[in-house]
Amino acid sequence: MPVTAEAIRAAAERIRPVAKVTPVMTSRSFDRAAGVSAYFKCENFQTGGAFKIRGAMNFVFSLTAEQRAKGVVAFSSGNHAQAVAIAAREAGIQATLVMPLDAPQAKLESTRDAGGRIVTYDRYRENREVIGKAIADETGATLIPPFDHEWIATGQGTAGLELMEQVPDLDTLVVCLGGGGLTAGCAVIAKSINPKIRVFGVEPEAGNDYWLSRQKGEPVEIPVPQTIADGLMTTKPGRVTFPIIQELVEDILLVTDAELLATMKLMLARMKMLAEPSGAAAAAAVLHGKLPPGCQRVGVLVSGGNVDLAMLSRLA
Ligand SMILES: *Cc1c(COP(=O)(O)O)cnc(C)c1O
């Protein structure tokens, strides 16, 4: 397996200068509504507002000095771009970010604020991977993929490592699933610490590429999904992440946009916690009874909290 518990522990040291150890929160009203004891790992409070800084830091600081000198490129709907911009600033190198025109304004702005150079594209008509690769070829910069790389999944796994240390007796772990970097990394470390833990991935119903791929037993590609969970709009499982998730994840759970909004509202009203739609996906699955029976002490990864004002007013 390309992502190991040992590598995740080493990554935890590598990312420490910038990535925070985020808090774990609980809520009686959530537990009552969901019928479980939930432990929320709050990556919405992470540097850059999402867990992505973990993978980005691990990647940038795993490069050789020579590679770093040529800079880095990333394509992303937002949080990965912002994380790469922050990691690059930390390393003192140039970052170019390929971002969709319709990315949330807050994500575009904070990426620019972190010192990244932004190139925009139309997500329904242009291929971001092609644009990213062209820039990499031109400048010699290293392309940092958003999820499908062992250094990325390894870095994301540090969130799971912290949670397992903060709450040692979890029987279940629920993680949202876009390309699968976060889920793969967290599954590897969680299973290594407690082989009996049950791990679930959560996708939006519209973006059910992993769910379909599971039925088929091989990666399936879907059209760009229409969902408010902009971090979970990937169209096919990763080559690195899919086999790990096939082996370690018990099931893929699906949530609707309405369930995401209802969960965001409950988290905000009861827990004073602002999750972005993708960040609320794991909690939405737990709240809406998608877990099988027997899950009691449930780790819930809140992956991010980058919400712009338009989304906030929609919630209200
Ligand atoms: C990137 C992202 C995801 C999806 O992560 P993957 O590693 O691609 O599965 C989920 N939530 C948020 C907030 C993200 O930024």
Side-chain angles (χ1 to χ4, degrees):
M1 200 166 271
V3 178
T4 64
E6 201 183 8
I8 292 168
R9 290 181 189 281
E13 299 301 314
R14 198 172 290 126
I15 68 172
R16 195 48 62 222
V18 174
K20 294 173 187 148
V21 175
T22 51
V24 173
M25 309 238 276
T26 56
S27 158
R28 277 200 206 153
S29 33
F30 185 95
D31 286 0
R32 247 194 317 271
V36 300
S37 299
Y39 297 85
F40 296 88
K41 177 63 171 165
C42 298
E43 289 296 294
N44 53 321
F45 298 142
Q46 185 53 267
T47 305
F51 68 90
K52 291 283 201 317
I53 190 67
R54 297 174 180 273
M57 281 292 289
N58 190 46
F59 195 107
V60 166
F61 286 88
S62 296
L63 292 170
T64 64
E66 206 174 313
Q67 288 171 317
R68 271 191 241 172
K70 293 187 175 147
V72 291
V73 189
F75 45 83
S76 156
S77 66
N79 288 338
H80 177 59
Q82 195 178 333
V84 167
I86 296 169
R89 184 184 60 194
E90 204 57 29
I93 65 177
Q94 165 92 64
T96 304
L97 297 318
V98 183
M99 298 181 73
L101 277 166
D102 62 347
Q105 204 54 36
K107 292 184 180 180
L108 286 166
E109 277 168 19
S110 42
T111 304
R112 208 170 278 128
D113 287 348
R117 182 172 79 93
I118 297 177
V119 176
T120 53
Y121 75 100
D122 179 344
R123 80 161 96 211
Y124 298 98
R125 292 164 60 186
E126 293 175 286
N127 186 324
R128 63 184 189 175
E129 300 184 32
V130 173
I131 299 171
K133 283 204 183 89
I135 294 170
D137 288 346
E138 249 166 56
T139 60
T142 302
L143 187 65
I144 307 189
F147 56 84
D148 204 15
H149 191 285
E150 60 187 85
W151 291 345
I152 295 292
T154 298
Q156 318 304 30
T158 60
L161 172 59
E162 284 171 22
L163 175 58
M164 295 296 285
E165 286 171 348
Q166 287 164 310
V167 190
D169 48 359
L170 294 174
D171 56 53
T172 306
L173 178 62
V174 186
V175 187
C176 63
L177 185 47
L182 181 64
T183 304
C186 289
V188 166
I189 193 70
K191 287 280 189 186
S192 136
I193 292 171
N194 172 11
K196 285 203 204 126
I197 197 166
R198 303 171 74 178
V199 183
F200 297 88
V202 181
E203 288 188 310
E205 226 168 69
N208 61 347
D209 51 320
Y210 265 93
W211 187 85
L212 286 172
S213 301
R214 247 198 193 222
Q215 311 286 306
K216 230 180 153 203
E218 64 183 32
V220 169
E221 185 162 6
I222 61 170
V224 177
Q226 299 275 3
T227 167
I228 57 167
D230 62 287
L232 308 177
M233 288 174 92
T234 47
T235 55
K236 63 170 195 281
R239 265 181 299 131
V240 172
T241 51
F242 183 64
I244 299 174
I245 288 166
Q246 279 293 74
E247 187 181 330
L248 301 180
V249 172
E250 179 172 327
D251 202 2
I252 310 294
L253 314 173
L254 299 176
V255 292
T256 63
D257 278 7
E259 287 168 339
L260 290 174
L261 279 170
T263 307
M264 288 171 71
K265 239 189 249 183
L266 182 133
M267 291 170 82
L268 191 55
R270 297 301 183 89
M271 303 172 65
K272 315 302 162 207
M273 199 152 89
L274 185 57
E276 62 184 272
S278 306
V286 176
L287 183 63
H288 292 90
K290 315 264 164 141
L291 283 174
C295 300
Q296 281 167 346
R297 295 177 58 80
V298 182
V300 176
L301 228 134
V302 179
S303 59
N306 291 324
V307 171
D308 60 17
L309 291 177
M311 171 58 74
L312 258 187
S313 60
R314 190 168 163 190
L315 261 189

